[in-house]
């Protein structure tokens, strides 16, 4: 019961601090979802990882220079060292034989190590203002205040505005960099906009979720959204919504249980979203894929079965007992039975005394599939100059995916043929 | 004596990770190492909670289990649902790491691991955890564990050296020779998990990446010969440990952090030198052209 009252007290903002945590996490996560969409699409997800580990020395140095925990100074320090780190990764990859992933691992860990060295140095220096500086490692949303939220709102609006204004250019850059270059888009400026927004987002975000897990906020929301849509606008919007939701839920959980870190909970919530999306997502989700494969297999089985009943002689339709059909096919016995039952229930076959006879509709279907098969055989033998005995296997696969439009094209291309390469008739 | 034990601990970590790091970076798997080193955390915590001790064996089992789990999750995202490789790595390890941190917070009263220790280790406390044979003091416990690990890793790399090298540099040729490429990949991954787990207490999850990738990358810039590269990497790692220790002493900061910083500086120096060398070579070639 206590749990519910705590949760209720979070969402009703009964304590003034809760309001700060709520809006702070919401805004931060939403922005990182938006920025992360582009980092993900540009296949630079791990660059977010580098930046988030690398802001630490910047924060520590900003503190050593300023001798106080002014959030603006710290963010500027963080942004500068984050930016240097991405520059170094690109520079090393471009100018030496070191591979990109090695450069990422190296810069990430060395910057982090330097940050740890400076941070522990500050802790031993005895400056009282330093307490709480180590929160940047794991993040503590509850340590935010109203000034931070205003800062997030202003910076976040600027970032959103930039992305909306340059949306076309940024999308093109993310999908096809060289094309964007070739039609004269200012690629370098667009890249600069993206890297600056990423760096600033990370620099702000480390306060709430900490350096190690900040990269998750850039990567996971967009990856999550990718399981639901392929449209970049929908992708960005969905990433923002999911990320914001995870931010709010995560900070609610960490508020409810005392002493729980915020960052890890936000990451766990958004990761759970990602796992769920991976299973049931309507695009690329696992369930969708399995369903699609099953449907395909069914279609192929259905078409392969009805094909067995193709009879070139017009006039009377014959009926075949199961064993005759089975010998003609090269399917497994049970598979064939399944196919036959499917056709029976669809009204393409009639069964009398254990013998199968195609109905009028069945005859039409069997002609249609054989026709596609033979048209394709003719097409590849004529245009790819394959020997007639080499074309059957290819046509076996293609016949199931030829649409009526392609069929018409083939007919036109082949000048309405009547005979296939084996000199059999092409039915119509 | 304390100085000696700490430097020895760091050098042992540096040596085993340098050997493995050379293979990792040649296989473009540096980030998989990163993922494993973060992801072992929940395994370690759960093992600790179940056995209520810091004994190495259960922790090793736990860490190996979560190391396997992360490689499995990465494969699931990458191959089953076709998510790009970098995003698959990013999602998987941050998730497991977050779970680990949450477990530590939930059981903070029962677990003798704190959050900071997880990230950058407590190498300074290594000499305090002593081991004895009877009444005879034989040095810190960590030194013995790391020494055994190094021996194990060095022997297994030595035994499998040829096959590891072939599968690293030309996996399709190795497959054509009938070598089980997947087996040798897991052989290496097992080594990485082992090295990560035993180094965990002394240098933490993030800094072990510096040990894995840094000296190997620097050595790669120095030489083209793979055997020499391994020895250079070991030498670089050990020298970074010694210089790093005294840097930390001077700055009054974290030892592991200082060693990672020195590893970075080593790389920066060698990198700058190779860049200069390249430029002067290009200039020479251009001069010769101008003459003829």
């Amino acid at each position: 019961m206590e749990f519910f009252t705590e949760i209720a007290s979070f969402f009703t903002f009964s304590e003034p601090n809760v309001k700060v945590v709520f809006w702070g996490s919401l805004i931060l996560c939403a922005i990182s979802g938006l920025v992360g969409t582009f980092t993900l699409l540009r296949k630079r997800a791990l660059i977010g990882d580098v930046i988030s580990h690398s802001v630490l020395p910047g924060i520590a140095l900003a503190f050593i220079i300023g001798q106080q925990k002014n959030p603006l100074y710290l963010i500027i320090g963080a942004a500068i060292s984050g930016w240097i780190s991405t520059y170094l990764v690109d520079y090393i990859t471009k100018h030496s034989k070191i591979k990109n992933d090695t450069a990422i691992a190296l810069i990430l860990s060395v910057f982090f190590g330097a940050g740890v060295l400076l941070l522990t140095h500050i802790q031993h220096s005895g400056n009282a203002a330093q307490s709480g500086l180590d929160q940047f490692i794991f993040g503590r949303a509850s340590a935010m205040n109203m000034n931070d939220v205003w800062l997030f709102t202003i910076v976040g609006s600027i970032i959103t505005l930039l992305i909306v204004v340059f949306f076309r250019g940024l999308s093109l850059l993310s999908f096809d960099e060289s094309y964007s270059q070739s039609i004269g888009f200012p690629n370098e400026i667009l890249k600069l906009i993206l890297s600056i927004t990423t760096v600033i987002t990370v620099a702000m975000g480390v306060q709430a979720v900490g350096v190690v897990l900040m990269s998750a906020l850039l990567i996971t929301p967009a990856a999550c959204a990718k399981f639901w849509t392929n449209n970049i606008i929908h992708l960005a919007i969905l990433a923002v919504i999911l990320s914001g939701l995870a931010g709010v839920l995560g900070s609610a959980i960490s508020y409810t249980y005392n002493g729980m870190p915020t960052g890890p909970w936000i990451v766990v919530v958004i990761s759970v979203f990602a796992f769920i999306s991976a299973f049931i997502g309507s695009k690329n989700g696992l369930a969708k894929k399995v369903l699609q494969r099953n449907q395909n297999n069914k279609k192929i089985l259905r078409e392969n079965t009805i094909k067995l009943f193709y009879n070139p002689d017009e006039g009377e339709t014959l009926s075949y007992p199961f064993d005759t059909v089975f010998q003609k096919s090269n399917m497994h016995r049970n598979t064939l039975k399944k196919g036959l039952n499917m056709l029976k229930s669809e009204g393409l076959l009639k069964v009398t005394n254990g013998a199968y006879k195609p109905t009028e509709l069945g005859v039409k279907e069997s002609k249609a599939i054989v026709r596609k098969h033979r048209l394709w055989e003719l097409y590849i033998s004529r245009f790819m100059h394959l020997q007639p005995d080499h074309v059957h296997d290819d046509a076996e696969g293609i016949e199931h995916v030829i649409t009526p439009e392609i069929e018409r094209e083939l007919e036109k291309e082949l000048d309405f043929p009547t005979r296939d390469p084996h000199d059999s008739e092409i039915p119509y | 004596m304390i100085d000696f034990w700490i430097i020895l601990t760091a050098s042992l970590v540096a040596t085993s990770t340098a050997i493995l790091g050379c293979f990792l970076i040649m296989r473009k798997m540096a980030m998989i190492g990163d993922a494993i080193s973060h992801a072992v955390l929940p395994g370690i915590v759960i093992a600790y909670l179940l056995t209520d001790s810091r004994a190495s064996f259960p922790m090793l089992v736990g860490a190996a289990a979560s190391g396997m789990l992360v490689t499995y999750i990465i494969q699931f995202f990458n191959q089953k649902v076709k998510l790009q490789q970098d995003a698959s790595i990013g999602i998987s390890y941050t998730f497991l790491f977050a779970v680990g941190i949450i477990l530590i917070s939930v059981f903070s009263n029962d677990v003798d691991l704190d959050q900071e220790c997880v990230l950058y280790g407590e190498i300074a406390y290594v000499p305090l955890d002593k081991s004895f044979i009877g009444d005879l003091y034989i040095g810190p416990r960590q030194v013995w564990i790391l020494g055994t690990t190094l021996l194990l890793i060095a022997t297994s790399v030595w035994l499998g050296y040829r096959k590891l090298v072939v599968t690293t540099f030309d996996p399709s040729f190795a497959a054509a020779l009938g070598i089980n490429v997947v087996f040798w990949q897991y052989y290496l991954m097992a080594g990485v998990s082992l090295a990560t787990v035993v180094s965990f207490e002394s240098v933490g999850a993030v800094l072990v990446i510096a040990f894995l990738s840094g000296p190997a990358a620097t050595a790669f810039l120095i030489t083209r010969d793979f055997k020499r590269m391994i020895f250079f990497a070991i030498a670089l790692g050990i020298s970074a440990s010694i210089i790093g220790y005294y840097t930390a002493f001077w700055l009054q900061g974290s030892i592991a952090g200082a060693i990672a910083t020195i590893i970075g500086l080593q790389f920066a120096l060698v990198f700058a030198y190779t860049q200069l060398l390249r430029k002067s070579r290009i200039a020479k070639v251009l001069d010769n052209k101008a003459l003829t």
Side-chain angles (χ1 to χ4, degrees), chain A residues 40 49 101 120-121 124 137, chain B residues 28 84 93 119 251-252 254:
Chain A
L40 184 89
D49 211 12
D101 69 316
T120 43
H121 170 68
H124 289 133
I137 295 180
Chain B
K28 299 186 197 154
Q84 62 206 53
Y93 91 78
L119 284 182
L251 283 175
Q252 297 245 305
S254 148

Side-chain angles (χ1 to χ4, degrees), chain A residues 97 99-102, chain B residues 19-33 85 89 160-172 174 179-190 192 216 220 226 229:
Chain A
K97 51 183 180 174
K99 307 279 188 313
N100 187 248
D101 69 316
T102 309
Chain B
I19 298 173
L20 296 168
C22 289
F23 288 100
L24 271 190
I25 72 162
M26 299 315 292
R27 285 172 177 246
K28 299 186 197 154
M29 282 170 73
M31 288 314 286
I32 304 267
Q85 169 94 6
I89 294 178
Y161 184 76
R162 278 169 160 271
K163 294 194 169 159
L164 277 173
V165 170
V166 179
T167 52
T168 300
F169 286 95
D170 200 339
S172 32
I179 298 170
N180 188 341
V181 179
V182 178
F183 168 79
W184 289 100
Q185 172 162 336
Y186 277 98
Y187 189 83
L188 189 66
M189 286 297 105
V192 174
F220 182 47
F226 189 65
M229 178 176 155

Side-chain angles (χ1 to χ4, degrees), chain A residues 212-234:
Chain A
V212 188
L213 296 174
M214 184 58 212
S215 55
L217 278 195
L218 285 175
I219 303 168
T220 317
C224 218
K226 242 187 140 192
F227 290 116
W228 297 97
T229 173
N230 280 335
N231 176 320
I232 183 167
I233 297 178
H234 296 170

Side-chain angles (χ1 to χ4, degrees), chain A residues 40 43 45 49 92 95-97 99 101-102 106 109 112-114 116-117 120-121 124 137-138 212 216 260-261 271, chain B residues 28-30 84 86-87 93-95 101 105-106 115 119-120 206-207 210 214 220 251-254 257 261 275 278:
Chain A
L40 184 89
K43 305 228 157 37
D49 211 12
I92 292 172
H95 292 273
S96 74
K97 51 183 180 174
K99 307 279 188 313
D101 69 316
T102 309
L106 177 79
S109 54
F112 186 79
V116 168
L117 177 64
T120 43
H121 170 68
H124 289 133
I137 295 180
F138 289 103
V212 188
M260 282 286 191
S271 305
Chain B
K28 299 186 197 154
M29 282 170 73
Q84 62 206 53
D86 56 349
Y93 91 78
T94 49
F95 169 66
I101 295 292
S105 322
V106 174
Q115 299 181 354
L119 284 182
Y120 44 88
V206 181
L207 295 180
F220 182 47
L251 283 175
Q252 297 245 305
S254 148
T261 312
Q275 290 299 302
R278 188 191 268 188

Side-chain angles (χ1 to χ4, degrees), chain A residues 261-280:
Chain A
T262 321
W265 270 114
I266 296 179
V267 173
V268 166
V269 172
I270 190 74
S271 305
V272 168
F273 286 174
F275 286 120
I276 295 174
S277 308
F279 279 105
I280 61 163

